[in-house]
Amino acid sequence: MIRRLIDAIPRPVRLFVLVAAADVALFSLLRLVFAAVFRAEFAALPAGVAARALWLGVRFDARLAVLVALPVLALGGLGPLSLFAPAASGTPRTGARRGWAWYLAATHLALLFVYLVDIGHYAFAASRVNVTILQFLYNLDTSARMVWETYPVVRGAIALAFAAWGIFRVADAALARAARWDPAGAGRLHRALATAAVVALAAGAVYGKISWYPLRWSDAHFSTNTFAADLAHNPVLYFAETAGKRPAAYDLAKVREARPLVGRFLGIDDGADPARLSVARPGVPLGAPARRPNVVIVLLESFAAYKTGAFGNPLDPTPRFDALAREGTLYTRFFTPTWGTARSVWATVTGLPDVEPQLTATRNPLIVSQHTILNDFAGYEKLYFLGGSLNWANIRGLLAANVDGLRIHEEGSYSAPRVDVWGISDLDLFAEANRVFSATPRPFVAIVQTSGSHRPYTIPANRGGFETRPVADAEARRNGFVSAAEYNAFRFLDHALGAFVDGARREPWFADTIFLFYGDHGLPASAPHIPAGDAAADLTHFHVPLLIWSPGLVPGGRRVDTVASELDVLPTAASLAGVPYLNTGLGRDLLDPAFDAMRFAFTAGDQGSSPKLGLVGPERAFGMFGNGTGRRLVALGGAQAGADVLAREPETATRMEALCRALYETARYLPYAGSRGAEHKDTVSR
């Protein structure tokens, strides 16, 4: 039976399967060689973690194997490239056979070279080979001498040459045997079905998993043990993944120049660790609660300030949030440093603004390893909830690789049905979170990330009594929404938030819980109720509410108008919970009056070669492009609201520009300083 199935497969497809299967075995063997070379690190892995890393590695290896064998499938049966002679002639295709043998030998020579370099690179820098290795080309003479004096270059070259020769001989012999295979004896339909099955299997190997998102580099970072991720990565694919990411674009001279001003902004003694440019400093809570409270951080999708009733929207889109705002502490001048959800998650977790010029920081494997204050919540359960998959934007890498003991709840974790591309509805997400909180026996710190108010603005079938409100698209647009659909999706998010709070009030853990609700980012808009200064300074991208709400634990009924940043969230949450912490980011405790004389929020929009940078102060917003052009100073309030007062207040502009530039240069550097191998890279650059 099996033989008949094999015989039904056309010969080029059979050859493709043979080559791919052989490469899966070869790459898996090389992974075991990597584990043997670094056996001390491998032995330190728990058995379950090691097994999962190796299984992930097999899946990465299968992807590479299919890609290497793909030319055989695509071209192996075409004309003069075909290994297989027409049945009538019976003449062996020696030229084609040698050509394919040389292709396999050359390809595998290059692959083995990468594997060999990878082992040497890991021994030197404790990281898999990636695009940063190209920096050695800038000091080619020194780098070449170091390699020559450190590694067995001659023996390695000889070994590669013998390996290539051996691969050629084995491939040539295997291809000669394959050329004598009998043609598929099955009918045309069977051949087509067999080919389709193999192609589907190959496509599955490239996709890598049964999920909405494919297997990505971030899947390797399922553990905070960095060697587990290193063991899972395929060095060829990892190098290719990082090849599109530029090495750190920071300028160390500018970072050093900025350090004193940044130090004053963060309350650090200017003499603290100047050689490494560290901003690490201890965070001391200003109070100590009688008992350890839970902390729940809720990231509200696209929850721009101007879209809420609390900030004057006349369409009454957020009655539940507005009621909570009257009970809690509402920060009215709270800004995200950038816009975009992935950048917002990065800012919350790391305390750093995402100023990566390409894509987002979460998508850059070179900076996946970061410090987070979440780990200072010792003895706490750490939870993260998302309705969809954390493979989105490679968020998994940031969270699972850096947060100790994190329990992730995502697609596949829930009984509720998926409603659209973003997973389950926000109403179901909050209900799932409430159930988990009630089953958690010890204090917990949790992040709940909503997504339903994002396009496609789905209102689910299970809506918990929610009713859409008929509003004309023109009326919705006039008040800051793109359409009536967005307006009602926003109202549904508010409805889900209300249901979450109603359910939480009935639970025993509620009395000991501090909630922080805020928007993950704003959106560009024009509406009559938006303050003239915010509109003129383009602050609607960044201006979102921050609500700290905890009846009985945090004084409520307050509106705080001091400037605050998303970078401040975790330092403030730790302070509220009485948790001492190490702060390596640019955020500060909002409760600490020591910073009140210097409350500013850094912003960066339109990332690229010359991003739009900004600094929001109590009365003025400074803005410019990264190249220094487009400087302006916008009055945020008073009779001059919305006016550019740069010419009239040059000293204010100069002071704000200096801090804006200092924070930007530092933000470019710190993600690389916090990631593995940064000290080595700085040493090389010097």
Side-chain angles (χ1 to χ4, degrees):
M1 178 66 180
I2 295 177
R3 186 65 193 177
R4 288 177 60 190
L5 291 174
I6 294 174
D7 288 344
I9 302 174
R11 291 176 295 179
V13 181
R14 271 186 268 170
L15 182 59
F16 163 77
V17 172
L18 176 65
V19 173
D23 272 343
V24 171
L26 173 63
F27 300 152
S28 297
L29 176 62
L30 291 172
R31 186 174 306 283
L32 295 178
V33 169
F34 178 84
V37 171
F38 302 103
R39 52 188 172 275
E41 292 87 346
F42 179 72
L45 290 178
V49 172
R52 183 174 177 182
L54 289 171
W55 170 236
L56 278 167
V58 170
R59 289 154 65 187
F60 282 117
D61 293 342
R63 174 181 288 172
L64 179 61
V66 168
L67 295 177
V68 170
L70 200 57
V72 175
L73 179 63
L75 305 174
L78 298 180
L81 296 178
S82 176
L83 177 71
F84 309 102
S89 71
T91 305
R93 306 291 293 272
T94 304
R97 187 190 79 218
R98 290 291 176 91
W100 283 112
W102 279 117
Y103 162 75
L104 293 173
T107 300
H108 287 79
L109 175 63
L111 294 173
L112 291 174
F113 175 75
V114 174
Y115 273 88
L116 193 62
V117 171
D118 176 65
I119 289 177
H121 187 269
Y122 198 88
F124 179 63
S127 69
R128 302 306 293 258
V129 65
N130 57 71
V131 71
T132 62
I133 198 172
L134 299 180
Q135 69 187 317
F136 293 111
L137 297 178
Y138 293 106
N139 300 289
L140 188 58
D141 180 61
T142 301
S143 299
R145 289 175 58 190
M146 184 275 293
V147 170
W148 180 264
E149 295 172 7
T150 304
Y151 301 107
V153 175
V154 174
R155 281 181 293 165
I158 293 173
L160 283 176
F162 272 106
W165 176 78
I167 290 171
F168 174 79
R169 294 301 299 257
V170 170
D172 190 51
L175 292 173
R177 184 170 181 176
R180 296 192 293 272
W181 285 341
D182 292 331
R188 181 176 299 177
L189 177 61
H190 287 125
R191 290 199 303 271
L193 290 175
T195 300
V198 171
V199 170
L201 186 63
V206 172
Y207 197 79
K209 62 192 300 189
I210 302 174
S211 171
W212 190 265
Y213 294 94
L215 182 70
R216 290 176 172 170
W217 63 263
S218 56
D219 285 296
H221 295 269
F222 64 90
S223 167
T224 54
N225 187 308
T226 56
F227 187 76
D230 295 333
L231 181 62
H233 281 306
N234 178 289
V236 178
L237 295 179
Y238 188 66
F239 180 84
E241 185 71 45
T242 65
K245 311 296 188 299
R246 293 186 304 179
Y250 57 80
D251 184 325
L252 280 175
K254 292 181 179 178
V255 178
R256 292 191 180 98
E257 182 182 354
R259 179 60 175 77
L261 182 54
V262 171
R264 289 196 296 275
F265 178 74
L266 300 178
I268 303 173
D269 184 338
D270 287 342
D273 203 6
R276 292 186 60 204
L277 305 175
S278 173
V279 299
R281 68 276 187 197
V284 180
L286 297 182
R291 54 192 182 275
R292 292 193 301 173
N294 308 305
V295 175
V296 176
I297 295 170
V298 180
L299 274 169
L300 298 164
E301 171 64 42
S302 304
F303 208 74
Y306 67 84
K307 292 181 184 287
T308 68
F311 286 81
N313 195 296
L315 294 183
D316 189 31
T318 53
R320 298 305 306 269
F321 177 83
D322 300 343
L324 294 176
R326 289 190 291 271
E327 297 175 11
T329 300
L330 179 66
Y331 283 81
T332 64
R333 302 301 291 166
F334 179 79
F335 299 89
T336 60
T338 53
W339 60 293
T341 299
R343 294 184 189 272
S344 181
V345 174
W346 171 274
T348 291
V349 173
T350 68
L352 300 171
D354 180 353
V355 294
E356 282 288 292
Q358 299 175 335
L359 297 178
T360 65
T362 61
R363 292 176 168 95
N364 187 348
L366 299 177
I367 54 176
V368 64
S369 298
Q370 298 295 324
H371 174 268
T372 175
I373 291 173
L374 288 170
N375 286 328
D376 292 310
F377 284 78
Y380 277 68
E381 285 285 343
K382 302 177 184 71
L383 308 166
Y384 199 99
F385 296 85
L386 178 67
S389 169
L390 278 178
N391 270 21
W392 157 80
N394 287 308
I395 297 294
R396 184 186 311 281
L398 171 67
L399 296 171
N402 296 305
V403 183
D404 298 330
L406 181 67
R407 289 167 51 196
I408 293 173
H409 297 263
E410 57 176 330
E411 69 173 18
S413 304
Y414 309 121
S415 57
R418 185 187 190 95
V419 298
D420 61 19
V421 63
W422 305 117
I424 67 175
S425 75
D426 290 339
L427 185 68
D428 289 332
L429 177 67
F430 280 130
E432 296 275 3
N434 266 338
R435 281 193 285 272
V436 173
F437 296 159
S438 297
T440 302
R442 59 178 179 170
F444 55 83
V445 55
I447 298 177
V448 182
Q449 180 187 336
T450 72
S451 55
S453 56
H454 193 290
R455 294 177 187 273
Y457 309 135
T458 303
I459 305 295
N462 173 28
R463 55 184 64 185
F466 173 79
E467 296 292 339
T468 59
R469 182 179 296 168
V471 172
D473 283 340
E475 180 69 6
R477 287 193 294 270
R478 187 160 45 249
N479 291 284
F481 296 94
V482 299
S483 64
E486 189 211 2
Y487 166 68
N488 278 300
F490 203 81
R491 290 182 58 246
F492 181 74
L493 169 58
D494 180 71
H495 172 79
L497 178 62
F500 170 57
V501 171
D502 291 343
R505 288 184 193 270
R506 296 191 291 268
E507 301 297 336
W509 51 265
F510 172 76
D512 295 327
T513 303
I514 299 169
F515 296 86
L516 295 93
F517 303 101
Y518 58 95
D520 64 347
H521 58 83
L523 290 167
S526 174
H529 66 280
I530 296 174
D534 284 19
D538 293 329
L539 296 184
T540 60
H541 293 78
F542 315 104
H543 187 202
V544 297
L546 166 64
L547 173 62
I548 300 176
W549 182 75
S550 180
L553 292 182
V554 180
R558 298 189 303 148
R559 289 174 69 99
V560 180
D561 298 327
T562 55
V563 175
S565 169
E566 185 179 14
L567 307 178
D568 304 328
V569 167
L570 281 186
T572 304
S575 184
L576 286 165
V579 173
Y581 58 94
L582 176 68
N583 193 348
T584 59
L586 298 179
R588 306 170 301 171
D589 182 0
L590 291 173
L591 309 179
D592 191 341
F595 299 113
D596 287 350
M598 206 176 185
R599 291 289 184 192
F600 294 96
F602 170 79
T603 63
D606 299 328
Q607 302 293 335
S609 59
S610 188
K612 186 182 293 184
L613 307 178
L615 190 74
V616 185
E619 299 176 345
R620 301 288 185 264
F622 174 81
M624 67 176 183
F625 289 103
N627 60 13
T629 63
R631 296 172 73 251
R632 60 179 182 163
L633 185 69
V634 177
L636 297 178
Q640 297 178 318
D644 185 350
V645 296
L646 181 70
R648 282 175 282 180
E649 300 179 18
E651 293 182 358
T652 300
T654 298
R655 288 195 303 271
M656 294 185 72
E657 178 180 1
L659 181 58
C660 181
R661 284 189 177 278
L663 292 173
Y664 175 60
E665 296 299 340
T666 304
R668 296 169 77 191
Y669 165 75
L670 287 178
Y672 293 90
S675 62
R676 194 172 50 227
E679 293 81 6
H680 162 66
K681 286 186 282 184
D682 284 352
T683 302
V684 171
S685 68
R686 289 195 293 270

